[in-house]
């Protein structure tokens, strides 16, 4: 039996380790008593095991993957997409972990880290989608501060916060404070998207595509119908009809003149070609152009 006095964090880590070794609550409790004696947990051990099972059903699976051929195969990708697993890039190689067992390596994954670490990594991955360059932290798409004297926050960071709050509320649906925070974040993001839509529409569409968002603009409020506005609209409509009528008359007149125009054009093209040939120059007018012009003249004669 060890003389070490464990704290709650140590006992919780040991229980998580036993849980992932497929040990039952009774077996884990017996192992803790053998290791720590009177400092081991009592009934709380069984309560924590119940929480582990509940959190496992509600937690989203995160798969730590690399670029090995067996991992990038089409069948593997389709299976991961079908189960809805989230893929995180493999951590940098560490020579200290190379000789360790698979269980020890698994202890260093996000599954055993605090929830805050998972949130930060997801935030960084979302920011990578919208950053203009690797060190971009000040553009409207990537910043988390007030910029350009505007009232909007980052779309990317707020999208990540919204996802985290939605996952949290699925586990704790009665948390009113988090519900209010979620609604406020959604309202701020909508407000910022509205401003970005007016400021730069191309970047607005680009960020919607990158973050897989759908923007539904707020419908305009109904305005009061007045006599002055109605007369103004009727006057504008009447003026548009007069302009269109005059344009149609002018088009008909030009269409009548096109017959003489094509006849004269064909004669001048033929004259230019004959003069160029007579001067020993290479003709710039082709016979096909003259034939096409005469054909257009015959069409307008009919």
């Amino acid at each position: 039996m060890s003389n070490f006095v464990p704290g709650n964090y140590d006992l919780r880590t040991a229980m998580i380790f036993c849980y992932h070794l497929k040990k039952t609550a009774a077996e884990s409790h017996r192992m803790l008593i053998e290791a720590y004696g009177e400092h081991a947990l009592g009934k709380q051990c069984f309560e924590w095991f119940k929480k582990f099972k509940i959190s496992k059903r509600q937690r989203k699976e995160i798969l730590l993957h690399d670029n090995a051929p067996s991992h990038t195969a089409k069948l593997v990708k389709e299976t991961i997409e079908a189960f809805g697993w989230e893929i995180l890039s493999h951590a940098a190689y560490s020579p200290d972990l190379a000789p360790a067992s698979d269980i020890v390596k698994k202890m260093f994954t996000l599954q055993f880290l605090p929830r805050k670490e998972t949130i930060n990594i997801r935030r960084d991955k979302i920011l990578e989608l919208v950053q203009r360059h690797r060190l971009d932290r000040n553009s409207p798409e990537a910043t988390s501060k007030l910029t350009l004297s505007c009232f909007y926050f980052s779309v990317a960071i707020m999208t990540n916060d919204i996802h985290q709050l939605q996952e949290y509320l699925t586990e704790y649906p009665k948390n009113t404070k988090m519900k209010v925070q979620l609604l406020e974040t959604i309202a701020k993001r909508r407000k910022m998207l509205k401003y970005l839509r007016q400021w730069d529409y191309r970047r607005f569409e680009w960020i919607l595509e990158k973050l897989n968002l759908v923007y539904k603009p707020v419908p305009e409020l109904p305005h009061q119908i007045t006599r002055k506005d109605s007369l103004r609209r009727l006057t504008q409509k009447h003026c548009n009809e007069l302009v269109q009528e005059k344009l149609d008359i002018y088009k008909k007149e030009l269409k009548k003149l096109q017959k003489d125009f094509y006849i004269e054009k064909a004669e001048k093209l033929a004259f230019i070609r004959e003069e160029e040939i007579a001067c020993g120059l290479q003709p710039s007018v082709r016979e096909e152009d003259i034939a096409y012009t005469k054909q257009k003249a015959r069409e307008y004669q009919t």
Side-chain angles (χ1 to χ4, degrees):
M1 186 181 298
S2 175
N3 294 326
F4 171 69
V5 179
N8 288 334
Y9 179 78
D10 301 319
L11 294 172
R12 179 180 173 84
T13 305
M15 289 182 60
I16 293 175
F17 184 76
C18 295
Y19 178 77
H20 286 281
L21 288 177
K22 309 291 185 182
K23 300 292 184 181
T24 62
E27 292 174 345
S28 302
H29 184 248
R30 186 166 56 252
M31 292 171 64
L32 290 176
I33 291 177
E34 292 176 358
Y36 300 118
E38 60 182 5
H39 302 292
L41 296 172
K43 295 182 179 179
Q44 194 175 2
C45 177
F46 298 91
E47 296 177 359
W48 279 8
F49 257 75
K50 289 181 181 179
K51 292 180 180 180
F52 294 159
K53 292 179 181 179
I54 294 174
S55 62
K56 183 179 180 181
R57 291 195 298 268
Q58 295 180 348
R59 186 174 61 243
K60 187 177 180 180
E61 297 295 336
I62 301 174
L63 186 63
L64 188 64
H65 237 186
D66 54 15
N67 57 352
S70 58
H71 294 171
T72 57
K74 183 178 179 181
L75 181 60
V76 176
K77 290 182 178 180
E78 292 177 354
T79 305
I80 292 172
E81 186 177 355
F83 282 98
W85 294 339
E86 183 177 352
I87 299 178
L88 293 177
S89 58
H90 202 279
Y93 174 74
S94 176
D96 298 330
L97 288 177
S101 62
D102 294 338
I103 297 176
V104 176
K105 292 179 181 179
K106 194 174 182 181
M107 293 290 291
F108 288 91
T109 59
L110 284 177
Q111 189 175 0
F112 294 94
L113 289 177
R115 185 170 178 268
K116 187 176 181 180
E117 296 294 333
T118 306
I119 293 174
N120 292 336
I121 291 177
R122 287 181 178 175
R123 176 176 296 182
D124 293 338
K125 289 179 71 66
I126 289 180
L127 283 177
E128 289 177 1
L129 298 175
V130 298
Q131 281 178 332
R132 300 183 184 179
H133 49 82
R134 186 171 59 87
L135 301 177
D136 181 20
R137 293 288 177 179
N138 295 321
S139 64
E141 299 90 352
T143 185
S144 60
K145 301 178 181 179
L146 289 170
T147 57
L148 302 176
S149 301
C150 300
F151 44 77
Y152 64 88
F153 290 92
S154 161
V155 173
I157 291 180
M158 285 194 294
T159 301
N160 176 70
D161 295 342
I162 289 170
H163 291 167
Q164 300 301 329
L165 289 172
Q166 287 174 343
E167 292 181 4
Y168 180 84
L169 287 174
T170 56
E171 187 175 356
Y172 305 101
K174 294 184 179 181
N175 195 329
T176 309
K177 185 178 179 180
M178 291 296 105
K179 287 182 181 179
V180 174
Q181 185 177 350
L182 176 62
L183 293 176
E184 289 179 351
T185 309
I186 292 174
K188 289 179 182 178
R189 186 180 68 175
R190 185 186 296 115
K191 194 173 185 179
M192 197 273 279
L193 284 173
K194 179 182 178 182
Y195 177 82
L196 187 62
R197 185 168 179 250
Q198 297 173 353
W199 175 56
D200 193 339
Y201 191 80
R202 291 182 62 185
R203 186 171 288 117
F204 167 77
E205 288 188 333
W206 175 78
I207 198 170
L208 289 184
E209 181 182 357
K210 285 290 184 180
L211 298 179
N212 194 20
L213 299 177
V214 178
Y215 177 75
K216 295 182 179 179
V218 180
E220 297 182 359
L221 296 176
H223 61 279
Q224 184 178 3
I225 300 175
T226 59
R227 179 181 177 85
K228 188 175 181 179
D229 291 337
S230 301
L231 289 175
R232 187 182 292 113
R233 292 180 182 178
L234 289 174
T235 305
Q236 184 65 32
K237 183 179 179 181
H238 179 68
C239 293
N240 293 337
E241 291 176 354
L242 291 176
V243 171
Q244 187 63 39
E245 184 179 354
K246 291 183 178 181
L247 287 174
D248 294 340
I249 295 172
Y250 185 61
K251 287 180 182 179
K252 290 179 181 179
E253 292 178 356
L254 291 177
K255 195 172 182 180
K256 291 178 182 178
L257 296 175
Q258 281 183 343
K259 172 186 173 183
D260 299 333
F261 168 76
Y262 279 112
I263 294 174
E264 185 179 356
K265 181 179 178 180
E267 293 175 355
K268 289 185 177 181
L269 289 177
F271 174 76
I272 292 172
R273 181 177 175 81
E274 291 174 0
E275 289 294 324
E276 289 177 344
I277 294 173
C279 294
L281 300 174
Q282 185 177 0
S284 58
V285 180
R286 299 179 302 173
E287 293 183 357
E288 291 82 358
D289 297 336
I290 300 173
Y292 175 76
T293 307
K294 290 180 180 180
Q295 182 182 357
K296 295 292 289 184
R298 287 193 296 270
E299 289 178 1
Y300 282 103
Q301 283 179 356
T302 59

